[in-house]
Amino acid sequence: MALWLSSLVIGLYILNFTLALIIVNKDVKTSRGMLYPRESETREVRSLDGIWNFVCSDETNPTQGIRDKWFDDDLSKSRPIIPMPVPASYNDITTERSLRDHVGTVWYDRKFFVPRSWEKDQRVWLRFGSVHYEAFVWINGESAVKHEMGHLPFETEVTHLLKYGAENRITVMCDNALIQTTVPQGKISEVANDGGVTIIQSYTFDFFNYAGIHRSVHLYTTPKTFIEEVEIQTKLSDNNSVGYIDYSVAVNGTAANEAENALYVRLKLFNREGVQVVNTTSDGKLEGTLKVSNAMPWWPYLMHSDPGYLYELEIQLHGANEQLLDVYRLKVGLRTLSWSNTTFQINGKPVYFRGFGRHEDSDVRGKGLDNALMVRDFNLIKWIGANAYRTSHYPYSEESMQFADQHGIMIIDECPSVDTENYNQALLDKHKSSLEQLIHRDRNHPSVVMWSIANEPRTGQLNADTYFQFVANYTRSLDSSRPITAAIATPWTDDKAGRYLDIISFNRYNAWYSNTGRMDMVTQRVIDEATAWNKKYGKPVIMSEYGADTLEGLHLQPSFVWSEEFQSEVFSRHFKAFDALRRKKWFIGEFVWNFADFKTAQSYTRVGGNKKGVFTRARQPKAAAHLLRQRYFALGREVDQCSLPEDLFTYIVDVGGSIKNESGDL
Ligand code: GCB
């Protein structure tokens, strides 16, 4: 009897364990609307950025504000408030350790006026560029919207919640807690401290879990019947002289329901000089193709003398009797992407990526949008001759995506899945949703040339195979016009995800995490690993991370870990490997880790944060930046015949003809 009972218990345990392991490919909720807020003849936009009021909840009582309805009145009536800038991470604004390391909920509110003129014949929308990680929003005490997932926008209609010609209040509760079913994952635990117990947030990823209202908050109006979605895909004829823009427009509104057949869109395409080059009208399906003769293709930086060429597409929505209902304008870059088992091409030309992994990170503002920083970063990217970056390890601001379009910088667009492990159904659903939200947001950007579905997922684990098959296939079903990659650090021998990708990216820290300090153990290992990935999957390969922590100003000769000399030498050993690999064609890119130093959680391996930046956190070059600049431009000249900046080399001596011939004219 006892034996029977214990077998039953063991059987039930195994069944329970097995059920937890089963993951299925379920439908996930898809996003709607969310066109970037732009003013037009029919739309007004108002920013709610500024200084908001802020309250931090007690860590041990994170839901108190909900129970006590702090959203029913001004926050100042419930708790003492402090000023908090929006957009910004809240962590580094005050001098308090408790706020920097806070786990759980915080509250924001502010007042704003809505003009009386907004009351009639239109709709009003509230849109957040991103709140990390989960947001709950109330307008005048009424629940308006909830959203889970950092780094991605969300919006809701607030027409019926607003008071027109009067003052309104917006309240936001933001929760930064990361658990095993959030993207990214984390763990919350209660740990004894000197005063009793405290809540600890741990995570394996290597950047500080900054939180708050990270990007701009907008109110904007649309007509009652309006353009809700625009999706475009572009391609060029074989000789790049004719461009094609496939478009489809979705409409929301009463006129759409009542008189569907009466709606149509008129599309006008303007070139950079503002000259109209196409004017066409759709049928009732609101989709079609624009043909652009004498096309100006969108080229990446240094691949062409006029990179980042953008047209402007004006979309006019018309109703019955040709009534103009709505106008929305979108920048469009004409380009064709193609890839095979050996190459990745743009407009028929093979691409060799030279770039960075980056972070949205800076002193004081954390991950908050900062236009000064964004423009400085693009200036540095162009100064150094890079043509690409990966949005490691989450989607970057929409403003930076627009900037990349304009400057011809190619983007590998990554969702927020980092160090993903312990695969489960809830995680899969959210991971897919993060990709859906990302693709929905970024699908019209010419700069986005690849989707990255994860960074360093534990792809050797049980279930990794099924999990990544579902994630990759879902991504492909949403957009088949761009290849899919993931930055993998699992040894190629154990990896189970690569076969679902189009391009293999791998991260490896030779001479840093492995064989620390051994310069003689870099080049061949990089060549061998890249070759092994290519042999295993027969796909193009990118080295998506390599590098070394470097303390600015530390000089040691011969090079020693953490010194500026060491970073330069590690780079140089990799360059040698990349040059050997480039000859094999299937090796298509090199990305340094990282563009700039950035903040991490506290750890004895991090001196004030991760110092693998080529630039400091204040965006000044370390010694290796000058070396990298020479390489990136030299590659640009060899691969894409770009011209070299005059100040690329410092004058040393007039070497005369003989030496010049030996070393080439660089
Ligand atoms: C990695 C991660 C990145 C880290 C980096 C490092 O492999 O992808 O997030 O910051 O290593 O410096 O350890």
Side-chain angles (χ1 to χ4, degrees), residues 206 393 455-456 507 509 513 545 593 598 606 610 612:
D206 184 38
H393 298 310
N455 179 72
E456 299 199 358
N507 299 347
Y509 289 86
Y513 294 126
E545 285 183 26
W593 190 259
F598 59 92
R606 298 282 177 254
N610 188 308
K612 294 195 184 71

Side-chain angles (χ1 to χ4, degrees), residues 2 6-7 65 106 138 157 177 182 185 230 236 251 258 302 311 347 379 431 436 466 517 570 596 618 625:
S6 62
S7 321
V106 297
W138 294 263
E157 184 173 2
T182 54
Q185 292 166 293
V230 182
L236 291 156
V251 170
E258 283 165 15
L302 300 181
Y311 290 84
N347 308 334
N379 286 335
H431 191 162
E436 189 280 329
T466 319
V570 165

Side-chain angles (χ1 to χ4, degrees), residues 530-545:
T531 309
W533 281 110
N534 175 261
K535 278 225 173 88
K536 180 167 178 183
Y537 293 120
K539 311 256 170 82
V541 176
I542 289 173
M543 188 160 199
S544 40
E545 285 183 26

Side-chain angles (χ1 to χ4, degrees), residues 360-624:
E360 282 188 331
D361 169 277
S362 77
D363 218 13
V364 184
R365 42 191 76 55
K367 294 203 179 301
L369 174 69
D370 176 358
N371 285 332
L373 184 81
M374 183 188 79
V375 176
R376 169 81 180 171
D377 282 357
F378 271 86
N379 286 335
L380 293 174
I381 287 168
K382 291 171 78 175
W383 172 83
I384 213 164
N387 64 6
Y389 63 82
R390 176 167 61 112
T391 67
S392 41
H393 298 310
Y394 39 80
Y396 291 4
S397 71
E398 290 158 278
E399 293 76 8
S400 69
M401 306 304 289
Q402 293 159 12
F403 224 67
D405 290 344
Q406 221 174 307
H407 292 268
I409 302 299
M410 292 178 284
I411 291 184
I412 300 181
D413 209 0
E414 190 158 282
C415 78
S417 162
V418 42
D419 289 12
T420 314
E421 58 184 356
N422 304 330
Y423 304 108
N424 60 66
Q425 186 68 47
L427 184 73
L428 173 66
D429 297 346
K430 260 177 233 171
H431 191 162
K432 282 165 57 184
S433 165
S434 77
L435 277 154
E436 189 280 329
Q437 292 180 54
L438 174 67
I439 293 171
H440 186 96
R441 191 193 76 160
D442 287 350
R443 60 192 174 187
N444 293 338
H445 288 287
S447 56
V448 176
V449 298
M450 214 180 286
W451 303 115
S452 168
I453 60 174
N455 179 72
E456 299 199 358
R458 313 309 190 210
T459 58
Q461 278 184 4
L462 201 67
N463 261 353
D465 189 306
T466 319
Y467 186 94
F468 280 99
Q469 182 177 17
F470 290 157
V471 174
N473 288 348
Y474 182 62
T475 309
R476 219 166 261 125
S477 75
L478 297 171
D479 179 17
S480 58
S481 74
R482 295 171 175 94
I484 297 171
T485 193
I488 303 177
T490 303
W492 64 270
T493 40
D494 302 342
D495 173 71
K496 298 180 195 162
R499 62 193 173 113
Y500 303 114
L501 307 174
D502 300 307
I503 288 168
I504 307 290
S505 301
F506 75 101
N507 299 347
R508 193 71 60 215
Y509 289 86
N510 290 289
W512 189 257
Y513 294 126
S514 41
N515 306 311
T516 313
R518 295 305 306 235
M519 289 300 170
D520 56 341
M521 296 183 188
V522 175
T523 309
Q524 195 54 46
R525 279 172 171 74
V526 173
I527 295 173
D528 289 348
E529 179 163 9
T531 309
W533 281 110
N534 175 261
K535 278 225 173 88
K536 180 167 178 183
Y537 293 120
K539 311 256 170 82
V541 176
I542 289 173
M543 188 160 199
S544 40
E545 285 183 26
Y546 70 97
D549 280 88
T550 307
L551 206 58
E552 59 178 299
L554 178 67
H555 291 280
L556 294 165
Q557 182 66 27
S559 75
F560 200 83
V561 282
W562 289 94
S563 68
E564 299 233 20
E565 284 74 13
F566 189 86
Q567 188 179 35
S568 293
E569 209 173 331
V570 165
F571 282 13
S572 163
R573 301 281 170 153
H574 280 81
F575 298 163
K576 211 167 182 186
F578 299 149
D579 282 346
L581 288 164
R582 282 194 303 125
R583 281 181 217 118
K584 306 193 184 179
K585 302 287 182 237
W586 48 258
F587 187 78
I588 60 164
E590 51 190 83
F591 289 75
V592 170
W593 190 259
N594 185 284
F595 175 72
D597 293 349
F598 59 92
K599 184 152 167 162
T600 62
Q602 299 191 60
S603 129
Y604 50 76
T605 62
R606 298 282 177 254
V607 187
N610 188 308
K611 295 275 188 262
K612 294 195 184 71
V614 165
F615 297 97
T616 64
R617 206 176 186 212
R619 277 31 184 203
Q620 295 300 339
K622 296 183 190 170

Side-chain angles (χ1 to χ4, degrees), residues 232-237 240 242-246 292 295-300 308-311 332-339 344-348 351 405 408-411 442-451 479 481-483:
I232 56 150
Q233 298 245 346
T234 70
K235 60 177 183 294
L236 291 156
S237 60
N240 292 338
V242 183
Y244 299 92
I245 307 171
D246 294 335
V292 191
M296 287 294 290
W298 185 92
W299 285 105
Y309 191 97
L310 295 176
Y311 290 84
V332 175
L334 296 177
R335 55 130 180 80
T336 313
L337 297 183
S338 53
W339 64 95
F344 172 83
Q345 302 195 331
I346 190 157
N347 308 334
V351 169
D405 290 344
I409 302 299
M410 292 178 284
I411 291 184
D442 287 350
R443 60 192 174 187
N444 293 338
H445 288 287
S447 56
V448 176
V449 298
M450 214 180 286
W451 303 115
D479 179 17
S481 74
R482 295 171 175 94

